Structure formats: structure tokens, C-alpha cells
Amino acid sequence: MVEDIQLVQSTTDKDYYIFYQIYSKLYEIGDKLDTLILANKPKVDDDIAPDVMSLLQLPENLRQTAFALYELGEATAEDISKITNKRRAVESAYLNNLVRDGYISKKSVGRLVYFSIE
Amino acid sequence: MKKTIAVHSYKGGTGKTTIAANLAYVLAQKGLDVCILDLDFKAPSLHTIFHIPTYTNSVKCINDVLNNNCGIEDVIQNISHRFDTKGKLYVGFSNPQSNAIVQMAAKGKIWQTGALKQLINCRKHLYEMGIDIIILDTTPGVEYSSVNAIVAADYTLIVLKPDETGIEGSTEIIRNVYCGLNMDGGLIINQCVEDKDNEMDFSNIGLPVLEHIKCNCDISCKNELASYTNPDHDFSTTIERIATMILDSRLVK
């Protein structure tokens, strides 16, 4: 960004002032976005873990999904559906439910979404 | 044929470890490669049945595997030569030292989550090493280590005494743990004193009765591998029948 500012300094003082104002505003917006993202990040209860005792208290459908994920380590909704014999869309919903509740995590690799026990 | 069998009970002192150890020996004697792991971290005792000397700090235990300090291959010992088994017989012990027992008792949820993952990895690794049957001797009751073992197993043998505590406790854990985990299992009624014990009603416990075993003070007091030292004993022939059930896939499909 310093280089950019040096570049615009070769223009007129008025242009430089306008560019500098835009730069400052963008920086400010970026800062506010970071604050908003952090504030809206789902809060995971420290007491929540995908341990067997906690999973035993989950509804049967979610429990089956979680144990299938234990078997596979890391898996897509389709991988899980092959074990549980349920539809991929159903497993996708269950897995996302487990992610929201903080039991498992997910990451995107290209178009595929992988779920794993943390 | 690859199978993992957990041996569990509601209460301690039911003969779980004795049955697990003898079953491992009999299966190895039938030519299978067997590995028995002591997952009773609260009161390890498997090493005493096999008469393996107690540990020094340099010996790796299953505790170290679950703590991510080593692999399962660093822990298991091949003891086939001691018992002249046709197949290989491996044992993996948990640490019987009091500081290790205290450490394991203090582990939290996050650690237990990792421990289950490790246990499932161990099973996979042992199968890759050529092991046919893995036997998991568990902690009694509803403890993390026992439920983790039940989850990692294909089938669980529940050992109970023919008394009110055994029946009520087993019924409760089957209803609330086994059914919740959708796990399969069968009951071994051990330490039956009289014939009337065989006639007690076990039908409401929730799992089928596989065998009744008479109370054998000579076996429990000697703390030895009866199937090896005394293969014609009633106890040994019952273990033989359970092993045959496992081999015939009557228990674990």
C-alpha cells in the first residue's frame, strides 16, 4: 500500500488527497468487517465435545452420523450416507447440525465439503 | 475374518478379565492371530494372568498409545512362544502404576474424544498387521474407557453374576448404553453356584444368554490361564464353546 501511495503522489495534490481518503475509508471498512465476523462467529461451548458420553445424549439420527464419522475420520456427506444408508442430503443436514452445535468441524476443498471430529 | 470383541461387565469382580484372557488363548490355539488389550485403566490385571512381570518406566503401555506417545506396535508383545499357540498371541497392557491410574482417571472429554479415535486407529492398524481377532478387556460399569471400547468393538460379551445386582445393572447399561450405541452383544453368566442359577430369568436383560459358567474357586484363586493349564476343566470347555461361536460367526456376522 505504501508503494501505491507513492505512486499517487506523482499525481496532483488534489488527486492524492482523494486517493488517500478512499484508502482510509477502505481500511476502516475492513476493520469493521473483521469485528463483525468475529462477533458473529458461532460460540462453541467449552463443555461440548464429541466424546461418547455426550454423543449418547444426542438423538439417534445424529448419533449414528457422528459414529460413522468416527469410523471414517474425515468424510463428505456422501461417504457417511454409504455407511448409514441414508440419503446424502439427509446426512448433510445432520452433519451441519453437528457442526452448528460444536461437535464436529468442516472445511471446503474445492466443491467438496469435508467433515471431521476435532 | 477380522473381529473386535469387547468383554465388559456392570460390576467389577465378575471374571471378565479371566474370560477375556482365556478366550484370547483358545482362539490363538485354534490358529488365529489374536491380540488382547487391557483397557481396564482403573485396575489393570491382565498382566497377572499371563504372569508378565510388572512394568518399569521404560516399558510402553496402552496409556502411551492413547496419549499419542507411541504406536500400538510399540506396545503389544508376542507371547505365543510362552503358550505354544498355533496362531500368534499378542498382549498389550495398561499401566498398573498408581500415578498412571490417577492420570487416566483425570482425563477430560476432549482427551477421551482423541482416545476413541486412537482406539479405532489401533484396530485398523492391528488388522493391517494381520491380526484376526482383537479382544478388549474393559473397565467395568459406564466409564469412558469401557464405552470407547464398546464403540470400537463389533460385539460385546457382558459378564455378570447370577444375582440381583448383576441382572439389574446389566439391564440398565444394555438399555441406556448398548441400545443407544446400537451395539450387539451377548451375556455370560459367571460364578453360578447352584443349578437354580441356570433357571433364573435373564430374558428381560435385553441380550441373549450365551453360556453359564459354574463358580470355580480353583481357577479364580490360582489366577492362571486355565484353558492352557487345564484344558479339560469345565471352565475351559465353556470358553472353547464361546470361541467356537465366534469362529462360526454365530455371534459376530
Side-chain angles (χ1 to χ4, degrees):
Chain A
M1 189 52 80
V2 174
E3 286 173 10
D4 294 345
I5 291 168
Q6 282 168 349
L7 181 72
V8 296
Q9 273 176 335
S10 64
T11 62
T12 62
D13 284 351
K14 189 180 173 187
D15 289 340
Y16 169 74
Y17 179 73
I18 291 166
F19 278 126
Y20 186 75
Q21 288 286 320
I22 292 169
Y23 165 73
S24 302
K25 281 289 173 197
L26 280 173
Y27 189 85
E28 200 179 312
I29 291 166
D31 205 28
K32 282 182 179 172
L33 272 174
D34 284 345
T35 312
L36 274 171
I37 289 166
L38 277 176
N40 288 313
K41 196 176 177 182
K43 283 178 186 168
V44 177
D45 189 340
D46 289 341
D47 203 36
I48 292 177
D51 61 292
V52 281
M53 301 300 185
S54 300
L55 296 186
L56 267 174
Q57 293 164 48
L58 288 175
E60 193 182 346
N61 49 2
L62 295 180
R63 196 167 55 230
Q64 275 183 5
T65 303
F67 281 125
L69 191 57
Y70 259 111
E71 286 284 327
L72 297 173
E74 188 177 72
T76 62
E78 186 156 2
D79 298 331
I80 299 287
S81 69
K82 285 174 188 162
I83 292 183
T84 60
N85 293 320
K86 289 175 188 158
R87 292 172 64 184
R88 190 204 62 81
V90 172
E91 285 305 340
S92 180
Y94 291 162
L95 286 159
N96 281 305
N97 202 334
L98 289 166
V99 172
R100 273 196 301 279
D101 291 345
Y103 289 105
I104 63 173
S105 61
K106 74 171 179 180
K107 67 175 181 188
S108 298
V109 179
R111 292 180 64 188
L112 289 173
V113 179
Y114 287 92
F115 297 87
S116 61
I117 302 276
E118 282 177 325
Chain B
M1 184 182 68
K2 305 282 186 193
K3 290 171 185 175
T4 300
I5 293 159
V7 185
H8 186 223
S9 64
Y10 170 70
K11 240 175 142 277
T14 55
K16 177 171 49 64
T17 304
T18 309
I19 288 171
N22 280 277
L23 189 58
Y25 165 76
V26 170
L27 287 164
Q29 189 56 23
K30 285 178 180 291
L32 288 118
D33 289 347
V34 181
C35 180
I36 179 166
L37 302 177
D38 190 353
L39 299 182
D40 189 353
F41 300 108
K42 278 191 160 181
S45 62
L46 193 64
H47 58 287
T48 61
I49 293 182
F50 288 109
H51 300 291
I52 307 281
T54 47
Y55 303 93
T56 62
N57 287 330
S58 62
V59 175
K60 297 285 183 195
C61 298
I62 296 171
N63 311 47
D64 298 305
V65 180
L66 300 188
N67 277 322
N68 243 332
N69 292 333
C70 66
I72 189 71
E73 68 280 3
D74 303 318
V75 167
I76 56 172
Q77 304 176 37
N78 186 344
I79 57 164
S80 319
H81 57 284
R82 287 181 182 230
F83 301 100
D84 296 323
T85 52
K86 287 179 189 163
K88 289 175 188 159
L89 178 58
Y90 289 91
V91 284
F93 300 119
S94 61
N95 194 333
Q97 293 173 344
S98 57
N99 58 343
I101 293 170
V102 171
Q103 271 178 14
M104 292 302 273
K107 299 291 187 189
K109 286 182 174 186
I110 304 291
W111 188 91
Q112 296 293 353
T113 304
L116 177 55
K117 280 163 71 179
Q118 283 286 8
L119 203 54
I120 290 170
N121 285 337
C122 286
R123 184 182 64 175
K124 191 179 164 195
H125 192 58
L126 289 171
Y127 286 162
E128 284 167 358
M129 284 171 63
I131 299 292
D132 301 305
I133 306 268
I134 302 168
I135 294 180
L136 307 173
D137 181 28
T138 69
T139 310
V142 184
E143 294 282 342
Y144 269 111
S145 54
S146 50
V147 184
N148 279 350
I150 293 164
V151 171
D154 303 303
Y155 190 91
T156 304
L157 296 170
I158 301 168
V159 185
L160 64 144
K161 289 185 194 175
D163 58 22
E164 206 171 315
T165 313
I167 292 172
E168 277 186 12
S170 302
T171 308
E172 196 62 26
I173 55 168
I174 288 163
R175 190 175 297 148
N176 294 313
V177 179
Y178 286 68
C179 291
L181 300 171
N182 205 17
M183 299 309 290
D184 200 6
L187 307 173
I188 297 175
I189 318 297
N190 194 20
Q191 303 177 23
C192 299
V193 180
E194 298 167 32
D195 286 343
K196 68 173 184 182
D197 286 341
N198 293 353
E199 291 159 14
M200 286 178 81
D201 185 15
F202 301 101
S203 61
N204 293 323
I205 296 184
L207 287 173
V209 176
L210 305 175
E211 283 293 345
H212 290 82
I213 303 177
K214 282 184 193 165
C215 193
N216 298 293
C217 291
D218 51 335
I219 287 176
S220 56
C221 296
K222 279 182 189 167
N223 197 26
E224 63 180 18
L225 208 57
S227 295
Y228 173 67
T229 56
N230 195 352
D232 296 325
H233 196 286
D234 267 0
F235 174 84
S236 308
T237 53
T238 311
I239 297 294
E240 178 79 26
R241 283 199 297 274
I242 298 167
T244 307
M245 284 184 212
I246 292 167
L247 289 182
D248 291 352
S249 296
R250 270 182 272 162
L251 300 186
V252 196
K253 298 287 183 295

